[in-house]
Amino acid sequence: MPKAGAGEVQLTYLCNQHFEESGRFAGVIVGPELYASDWYSGFHELGMHIASEMQALGYAGHFDLDAILDGSGKPSLVEINSSRTGGTFAHEFMVHRFGPDYAERITMLSQNKIHTRFKNLAELEEEIGDLLYPIGGSEQGVIPLLTSTMFQGEFGGVFLAGDVGDVKELQD
């Protein structure tokens, strides 16, 4: 968000948080299905109002609004993270690699800690070669991005597919 008077506030991306079975935060999901959700319009309006008020108070920069949906699908604000987050970095990678309209075509699940038995990228790529992006020339597959932790048995990356169900299946 630019300083007051230097430009309008704008939504950069909409995501759904992804959690492991243990309850640990595991990444974000971005894709067309979220923008088509019943709750999106009202939440977007609320977010733009909050952003405009923050800008008027002097805030400039990225921030995330975290919310939960109640049983009827109504969002309730939980917190504001006034900083760049893992979702910000994943979104920026996607914009750089796939263009600013990627969320209209591709569902992306980012994950920083994917457990692996492989200790280097060459071994990992050998094992999951058929899952690496692009699968069959399509906009789906796995892109390993964070490999400096492989010696500890984990890596980070993004899973890409056409919808949330397919991206979760690819992750599995």
Side-chain angles (χ1 to χ4, degrees):
M1 161 174 26
K3 288 183 175 184
E8 297 294 317
V9 298
Q10 64 180 8
L11 172 71
T12 52
Y13 67 98
L14 176 68
C15 71
N16 199 350
Q17 293 184 355
H18 175 68
F19 297 92
E20 292 180 344
E21 283 186 28
S22 67
R24 185 184 75 81
F25 174 74
V28 298
I29 299 172
V30 177
E33 291 170 81
L34 296 177
Y35 293 89
S37 299
D38 291 340
W39 52 265
Y40 169 68
S41 178
F43 190 64
H44 180 261
E45 186 177 320
L46 173 64
M48 295 302 285
H49 174 73
I50 290 170
S52 295
E53 293 297 316
M54 288 176 64
Q55 185 185 50
L57 291 170
Y59 182 80
H62 288 276
F63 73 94
D64 286 353
L65 297 176
D66 289 355
I68 56 172
L69 299 178
D70 68 15
S72 67
K74 179 182 174 221
S76 295
L77 189 62
V78 175
E79 70 175 339
I80 296 175
N81 297 303
S82 56
S83 62
R84 297 169 57 83
T85 64
T88 307
F89 294 108
H91 165 73
E92 289 174 347
F93 167 77
M94 293 297 291
V95 167
H96 177 74
R97 175 59 182 85
F98 296 98
D101 65 341
Y102 79 91
E104 297 172 18
R105 311 183 316 276
I106 305 169
T107 298
M108 177 268 299
L109 186 157
S110 72
Q111 194 167 348
N112 289 339
K113 292 185 178 182
I114 304 166
H115 302 291
T116 183
R117 60 185 163 90
F118 304 105
K119 300 300 181 193
N120 63 61
L121 183 58
E123 289 178 4
L124 175 68
E125 288 179 334
E126 175 72 25
E127 182 67 21
I128 68 166
D130 59 332
L131 299 177
L132 291 172
Y133 176 86
I135 297 174
S138 68
E139 288 189 318
Q140 67 176 7
V142 180
I143 303 176
L145 296 173
L146 173 64
T147 58
S148 62
T149 56
M150 288 192 74
F151 72 96
Q152 297 173 320
E154 58 192 32
F155 70 99
V158 293
F159 300 87
L160 309 174
D163 60 41
V164 172
D166 287 345
V167 83
K168 286 184 176 180
E169 184 178 321
L170 180 62
Q171 179 200 30
D172 290 341

